[in-house]
Amino acid sequence: MAYLTGKYRAGIRSKALLGALIGGLVFSPLAVAERPNIVLIVADDMGYTDLGVTGGEIDTPNLDKMAHEGLLISDFQVAPQCSPTRSMMLSGTDSHLAGMGQMAEWKKAPNQQGQPGYVGYLRDDVMPISETLKNAGYRTYMVGKWHLGLDEPHMPHSRGFEKSFVMLKGGASHFGTQKGYTPDKPIAPYRDNGKEVESLPKDFFSTDFYTDKVIEYIDEDRNDDKPFFAYVAYTAPHWPIQAPDSWIDKYKGRYAEGYEKLVQQRTERAKALGLFPEDAAPYAFTPLKIHKSWDSLTDEQKAVSSRKMEIYAAMVANMDFNIGRLLEHLKEIGEYDNTLFVFMSDNGPEGGNPINIWKRYGEQAANDWKATYDLSFENMGRPNSFAAYQEWAQASAGPFRDFKGTVTEGGIRSPLIVKYPGGVMGKVNTTALTTVMDIAPTFLEVADAEHPETYNGIKIYPHKGKSLMPMIRGEAEAVHDSDYAVGVEIAEKQALRKGDWKLVWVKVGPVKTDGWQLFNMAKDPGETTNLADANPEKLAEMKQEWEDYVAENGVVIAEWPKQK
C-alpha cells in the first residue's frame, strides 16, 4: 500500500477521489484522509434542541445532513459560559489551567484575584491546537469570536492562526454598527490579522461575513499542498438577536403557541430520536420570577415574546445556511471528501437580558442603554435593536435543566456532530460521556501531530481529554472509562460528572440549590430527582472527587466579604 504526499496528494484531493489506480498502485480512502483538513464550527449560545436532528423545528438541513452522514454524540459536556469552553476546546485541558476559570468581564472574588486560573486570557503554559497544527504543517485560519484575551500577546494571530478576522470580546451587534455590549467598550473591538478594524462594511452581517472570509482564506492557499485548519466561530445566535428581515419573515407566526408548548414538542421529538430516555422525566419548564406563564400574557406581550423567538430561529437557520455555503464550496474545490468537520455550541442558550450588564455600571448607564437603542417591537432584530430572547432559553434546552451560566445540563450539554472521511455514518451515540477537552487531542491524532511538553522554553500542561477517533472510526463506543471524572466551576456554580453520576451545587442566582445535589444521568438526564439523601456513600465518593478536582486544577472557590 502506498501513501500520497506533497503535490501528488494535493492532486488526488483536488479531484475528491476516494480511491485511484495510478501506475499499478492502489490508493485507499485512508490514504487520502491521512492528514485531512479540519473544520471546527462553533455556535454561540445555541440550545441543545435547536437543530432538527436533535428535535427542533428550526430549519437546519445542512447540520442535519452532516449528522446523518457522520456521528452525533449526545452527551458532550462543555462549560456553562463561552470563553471557558473555548479555552478548553483549544488547549485540551481544564479552563482553570488555561487561565479562564471565569470570563474576564465578570467580577472576581477577592481570593480569586491574581490567581493563575482566573487571569482572563489563554495562558502561555497551554498550547492551543492552532499553534500545534501550524507547526505540523497546517494552514491555520480563524473567523468570528475570540474572547480569550484582548492584548497583543493573547490575540489569535499571536496564538497560531496565520489568518484571522475576529471580534475580540464576547458579543456585539451582528450588523455593521460595531456596537458593543458594555459602557466601557461601546464599540466592539475587531482585528483583521492583528490590525485594528476601523469600520465594518455597510452590508456586514456577522454570519454571512465570517463565511465569506473563511472561504476567501481557503481559496488564497489552494495552490499549495498543505492541509488547513479552519476555526469558524460564529457569533450567532448570541444576543443581540438580529437577522435580515427576509430570514425573520420565514418564522413569522411559528411560535404563537408559546414556550411551554415548544418545550413539550421538542421533548417529544428528542425522545423519538432516542436522545432522551423514553421513560425519563424532562426538566419541568418553570419560568423565572421575571417571566410568566404563556397563558397569563396579554396578546401584546405574546406578540413581543414570540417575535423574539422568530428572530432567534432566523439566526440559527441563517447560520445553517452559511454552513451549507461553506460545505458546498469545499465540494466545488475538491476538498469536502478529505475534511474532518466538527460542529458544537460553546454552551447552552442564553436566558439573561443584556441590560443587566449595563446596570452593573450604575443607573445612568442603564438609562444610556435604553436611549442608545430602538427597542420597539417594529425595530426588533434590526441594526439598532439590542434584544434577547430570555424566556425562550429553557425551551431551547428542551428536556434539559436550565440554560447558559448554570452547571446543570441545559447550560453545559451540547450536541457534537462529527463527519470524517472513512468514519461512521448515521450513528448516534447516547451513552458515552465526552467533553470539550477531547477536541484538541482528536485533531492532533488526525493531523499526526504531537502535543509538546515544552514550548518556547515554557512547560506546557498536558491534555486532559482523549482523542475521539476510536468512536469516530466506529472502533469503540467510548474513550473514557467509568472512573473518568470531569468537574466544572464558575461564579459559585459547581458540578462534577463521573460515569453516570453527577454532583451539582448552584450557590447563587435564580436557580440556586440547597447544597449538593446528586443525579443518576443514565436514568434522569433531566436532573429531576435529587438522590443525595438516598445515596450517602455515592454522595461522599462524588464529593471527594470534587475535592480532588479542585486541588488538581487550581480551582479557587469564591469567598466574598460578608455584608454588614
Side-chain angles (χ1 to χ4, degrees):
M1 185 63 67
Y3 291 94
L4 293 180
T5 57
K7 64 181 180 180
Y8 298 104
R9 173 181 175 276
I12 281 288
R13 289 171 56 208
S14 68
K15 298 176 183 178
L17 294 178
L18 293 178
L21 182 63
I22 303 175
L25 296 177
V26 177
F27 299 92
S28 74
L30 290 179
V32 180
E34 186 180 4
R35 274 167 59 89
N37 307 310
I38 301 170
V39 174
L40 171 61
I41 305 170
V42 179
D44 196 356
D45 293 3
M46 191 196 77
Y48 188 92
T49 52
D50 281 334
L51 305 179
V53 75
T54 55
E57 73 298 323
I58 301 173
D59 302 309
T60 56
N62 295 294
L63 286 168
D64 295 349
K65 184 178 180 182
M66 187 186 295
H68 293 320
E69 294 181 350
L71 171 66
L72 171 62
I73 297 177
S74 171
D75 194 354
F76 179 65
Q77 300 286 303
V78 296
Q81 290 180 330
C82 37
S83 45
T85 289
R86 293 161 196 265
S87 72
M88 294 192 287
M89 179 185 71
L90 293 179
S91 71
T93 195
D94 187 82
S95 59
H96 300 83
L97 298 181
M100 296 301 308
Q102 184 166 295
M103 292 200 303
E105 299 92 331
W106 280 39
K107 184 178 180 180
K108 294 182 283 290
N111 63 324
Q112 293 174 328
Q113 295 174 13
Q115 295 297 319
Y118 301 83
V119 294
Y121 56 80
L122 196 63
R123 289 163 48 100
D124 294 334
D125 47 8
V126 296
M127 183 74 164
I129 48 177
S130 46
E131 288 194 76
T132 314
L133 292 174
K134 178 184 176 183
N135 294 341
Y138 273 67
R139 294 292 187 188
T140 53
Y141 315 130
M142 181 188 171
V143 294
K145 174 173 167 175
W146 176 239
H147 209 197
L148 292 172
L150 295 174
D151 56 342
E152 180 69 24
H154 304 115
M155 293 185 191
H157 65 280
S158 300
R159 300 310 310 259
F161 287 103
E162 295 176 309
K163 298 178 182 180
S164 60
F165 190 102
V166 295
M167 188 263 293
L168 292 176
K169 292 204 70 176
S173 171
H174 293 276
F175 290 103
T177 63
Q178 231 173 316
K179 288 186 176 180
Y181 67 94
T182 58
D184 60 327
K185 291 284 185 181
I187 301 299
Y190 287 79
R191 293 292 185 274
D192 185 357
N193 291 322
K195 297 180 180 179
E196 183 176 359
V197 175
E198 297 292 339
S199 63
L200 297 171
K202 290 184 179 180
D203 62 349
F204 179 91
F205 181 70
S206 64
T207 312
D208 298 342
F209 183 88
Y210 295 144
T211 306
D212 289 342
K213 184 62 69 172
V214 74
I215 289 173
E216 175 187 315
Y217 290 161
I218 292 168
D219 283 352
E220 286 174 347
D221 296 323
R222 278 183 60 191
N223 292 328
D224 69 23
D225 63 351
K226 291 185 176 183
F228 63 81
F229 165 52
Y231 172 27
V232 185
Y234 289 122
T235 51
H238 191 290
W239 51 246
I241 48 171
Q242 295 171 325
D245 286 348
S246 60
W247 281 94
I248 300 172
D249 290 343
K250 295 175 185 288
Y251 291 90
K252 188 175 182 179
R254 191 174 294 195
Y255 299 101
E257 293 183 294
Y259 26 80
E260 290 108 333
K261 184 67 173 179
L262 186 60
V263 170
Q264 179 186 345
Q265 293 169 340
R266 289 190 175 194
T267 297
E268 291 172 355
R269 286 193 291 264
K271 286 188 174 185
L273 291 167
L275 300 176
F276 196 83
E278 187 65 39
D279 58 350
Y283 181 67
F285 185 88
T286 52
L288 305 180
K289 292 180 180 179
I290 57 174
H291 306 149
K292 298 179 180 179
S293 67
W294 187 257
D295 289 342
S296 70
L297 301 182
T298 66
D299 288 345
E300 181 180 357
Q301 289 172 327
K302 288 179 179 179
V304 171
S305 182
S306 59
R307 186 63 166 174
K308 294 177 184 178
M309 187 61 197
E310 291 167 5
I311 299 167
Y312 177 89
M315 296 178 76
V316 174
N318 173 267
M319 178 179 65
D320 180 86
F321 171 79
N322 275 283
I323 291 170
R325 287 179 53 216
L326 174 57
L327 301 184
E328 188 60 34
H329 185 74
L330 293 178
K331 290 178 181 178
E332 291 172 357
I333 65 173
E335 295 291 353
Y336 179 83
D337 289 321
N338 193 46
T339 299
L340 166 64
F341 296 97
V342 173
F343 173 84
M344 55 173 278
S345 177
D346 61 351
N347 45 244
E350 171 63 81
N353 189 335
I355 194 175
N356 292 330
I357 296 175
W358 285 62
K359 286 180 178 179
R360 297 176 196 162
Y361 293 80
E363 183 178 350
Q364 184 58 49
N367 292 333
D368 291 345
W369 187 86
K370 293 178 181 178
T372 299
Y373 299 102
D374 180 353
L375 304 177
S376 67
F377 174 82
E378 293 75 17
N379 193 58
M380 200 181 299
R382 291 177 175 161
N384 198 41
S385 67
F386 213 100
Y389 84 148
Q390 299 168 268
E391 61 267 27
W392 292 89
Q394 182 63 68
S396 277
F400 298 109
R401 179 182 174 189
D402 302 329
F403 31 77
K404 175 185 175 179
T406 69
V407 291
T408 44
E409 292 298 286
I412 64 172
R413 184 184 289 229
S414 163
L416 179 69
I417 299 174
V418 182
K419 183 183 180 300
Y420 178 71
V424 297
M425 295 183 63
K427 182 176 176 61
V428 179
N429 186 306
T430 61
T431 58
L433 171 62
T434 57
T435 88
V436 69
M437 293 183 289
D438 299 329
I439 297 296
T442 301
F443 290 174
L444 295 194
E445 179 176 342
V446 300
D448 194 24
E450 295 289 334
H451 185 64
E453 294 183 4
T454 61
Y455 190 66
N456 290 335
I458 300 173
K459 186 176 180 179
I460 301 298
Y461 280 110
H463 284 161
K464 284 183 174 288
K466 286 187 176 182
S467 171
L468 298 172
M469 288 310 299
M471 294 174 62
I472 296 168
R473 290 190 295 256
E475 300 166 354
E477 290 298 308
V479 297
H480 299 290
D481 58 32
S482 59
D483 291 331
Y484 177 68
V486 56
V488 56
E489 177 272 338
I490 191 166
E492 298 183 83
K493 305 171 183 98
Q494 49 204 51
L496 183 128
R497 180 75 181 274
K498 181 180 180 181
D500 290 340
W501 291 91
K502 182 177 179 181
L503 193 66
V504 174
W505 191 356
V506 179
K507 297 182 177 180
V508 296
V511 294
K512 64 186 296 185
T513 65
D514 185 16
W516 285 112
Q517 295 182 331
L518 180 68
F519 302 98
N520 185 310
M521 301 305 292
K523 299 178 180 179
D524 182 28
E527 297 169 284
T528 63
T529 305
N530 179 12
L531 301 175
D533 291 340
N535 292 267
E537 292 184 2
K538 177 59 70 173
L539 178 64
E541 174 193 334
M542 295 292 285
K543 288 170 69 174
Q544 183 58 56
E545 290 282 4
W546 169 256
E547 295 299 329
D548 294 343
Y549 166 74
V550 168
E552 291 172 6
N553 293 281
V555 176
V556 179
I557 305 300
E559 295 178 1
W560 296 94
K562 292 183 179 180
Q563 297 291 332
K564 295 183 179 180

